[in-house]
Amino acid sequence: MADESGSVSVSESGDEESGKRRGSRRVKTKKKQRPFWQELPILIVIAAVIAALMVTFIGRPYVIPSESMETTLHGCAGCTGDRIYVEKLSYYWGDPEPGDVVVFVGPPSWNTAYQSIRSDNATKRGVQNFFSFFGLVPPDENDLVKRVIAVGGQTVECCDTEGRIKVDGKALDESYARYTLPYVAGQPFSPRGGREFKAVKVPEGHLWVMGDNRNNSADSRAHISDELQGTVPVDNVRGKAVFKIWPPSRIGPVRSEQPQAN
C-alpha cells in the first residue's frame, strides 16, 4: 500500500518469493555421466564411420606383392613387401600424369592368373568383405601398381638407339628405371631382356603404364595384343601412391618423376 509520502512499500514475503524464483533459475542440475562401457560402443561406431569415409573418399593402404616396381617399391613372393598409402583426392580434379605411381584394377587380359583372396567359407568371406570396407582387409580385386609413362593422345614406343622409351618421338629420361639386362637392338620385348615394342597411340581416357623393374614387370608391354593394346582405362585407377608406411626402415614418400620433362 502507499504511505503518506506517496512511496510504494513491498512486503517481505514478496521479496522472499521473488528471490527464490531468481535463485531457482540459477541452479544448474549436473548431468549424470555415462559409464565408459556404455560410451564405448558409440565411440566404436563413430570411429568405424570415419574409417569407412576415409577409405571410400580419401585413400587406403595397399601391399606391394611383386618385384615389378623395384627399387622404388619393394615386394616379392614370401617376403615383407612395402605397404603404401594411396590417396584418391588428386584424381577428383584431374587425371593421372606421366611419372605418377598409380594403383589400378587390371583390365580383363591382366587378370587371367588372378585368384580370389577371399575364403571359400561364406561366413569368413562375409567378415573379410566387411572389414575390407573399413580398410582392414585388402579388396578382392586384382590391384596392380605401375608408373604412368604416357597418357591419352600420346604415342609410345621403344626404342631409340640407346634403348630408351620414346613418347611422341622423344626419348624419356627415366632415372627410376631399372634394367638388369643390356639393350639388344632388334630384340622384341620379353622377360628375358628384349625391350622393343611397336608404336601404340594411347586412346583418350587411357594410360600406358610400366613397372620400374623393366626386366621383371608384366605391364602394358606384355598386353599389347589385347583389345586395349595394353593400355589401362583411367576409370580403373584407384589412386596415387604417395607414401611408404611400412616397414619402418623404408618409410618415406613415393615420388612422381615426370619423364617427359627433358
Side-chain angles (χ1 to χ4, degrees):
M1 61 176 292
D3 60 15
E4 293 180 355
S5 64
S7 61
V8 179
S9 63
V10 181
S11 66
E12 291 183 2
S13 61
D15 287 342
E16 290 178 0
E17 290 178 3
S18 177
K20 287 179 180 179
R21 286 195 297 270
R22 288 194 299 269
S24 65
R25 286 195 295 267
R26 297 192 195 101
V27 174
K28 296 182 180 179
T29 58
K30 292 185 178 179
K31 188 176 180 180
K32 188 177 180 180
Q33 188 173 4
R34 294 178 180 177
F36 177 72
W37 64 268
Q38 289 183 349
E39 293 186 346
L40 184 59
I42 299 174
L43 296 176
I44 291 175
V45 170
I46 293 173
V49 170
I50 293 174
L53 291 173
M54 289 282 291
V55 167
T56 303
F57 299 108
I58 307 300
R60 71 179 301 154
Y62 288 85
V63 178
I64 304 302
S66 73
E67 302 172 56
S68 70
M69 284 296 292
E70 294 279 5
T71 58
T72 303
L73 300 174
H74 175 64
C76 61
C79 70
T80 303
D82 287 348
R83 291 181 180 269
I84 58 174
Y85 187 76
V86 175
E87 58 93 0
K88 301 182 178 184
L89 297 177
S90 295
Y91 300 145
Y92 287 154
W93 298 280
D95 290 337
E97 298 179 352
D100 287 357
V101 177
V102 298
V103 169
F104 61 93
V105 179
S109 71
W110 301 53
N111 301 329
T112 54
Y114 177 73
Q115 295 182 341
S116 173
I117 59 174
R118 292 292 184 261
S119 171
D120 293 332
N121 181 284
T123 301
K124 289 182 178 179
R125 186 167 61 251
V127 172
Q128 289 172 332
N129 289 334
F130 176 76
F131 283 110
S132 177
F133 188 68
F134 302 101
L136 300 176
V137 174
D140 188 21
E141 58 188 21
N142 187 24
D143 291 321
L144 304 166
V145 57
K146 307 291 181 190
R147 191 181 296 272
V148 178
I149 303 301
V151 297
Q154 295 185 318
T155 299
V156 58
E157 61 185 310
C158 189
C159 303
D160 72 350
T161 57
E162 299 178 27
R164 296 179 295 180
I165 304 294
K166 295 193 297 182
V167 173
D168 292 337
K170 297 181 179 179
L172 303 185
D173 181 14
E174 300 184 282
S175 59
Y176 48 76
R178 179 193 189 197
Y179 291 99
T180 57
L181 296 170
Y183 168 61
V184 178
Q187 188 174 358
F189 166 75
S190 75
R192 292 179 295 276
R195 298 190 192 182
E196 296 189 357
F197 58 87
K198 67 179 182 180
V200 174
K201 184 170 183 178
V202 182
E204 293 295 340
H206 290 69
L207 307 168
W208 180 272
V209 297
M210 296 172 66
D212 289 355
N213 192 5
R214 294 295 161 80
N215 295 122
N216 195 357
S217 177
D219 47 43
S220 288
R221 299 168 297 172
H223 302 278
I224 201 169
S225 61
D226 70 14
E227 67 278 8
L228 300 176
Q229 293 186 283
T231 64
V232 175
V234 171
D235 290 343
N236 284 33
V237 174
R238 289 292 183 252
K240 179 180 180 181
V242 293
F243 209 80
K244 291 176 283 188
I245 58 177
W246 194 261
S249 60
R250 290 182 56 82
I251 288 176
V254 179
R255 304 188 187 281
S256 297
E257 297 185 37
Q258 168 59 277
Q260 301 178 22
N262 60 342

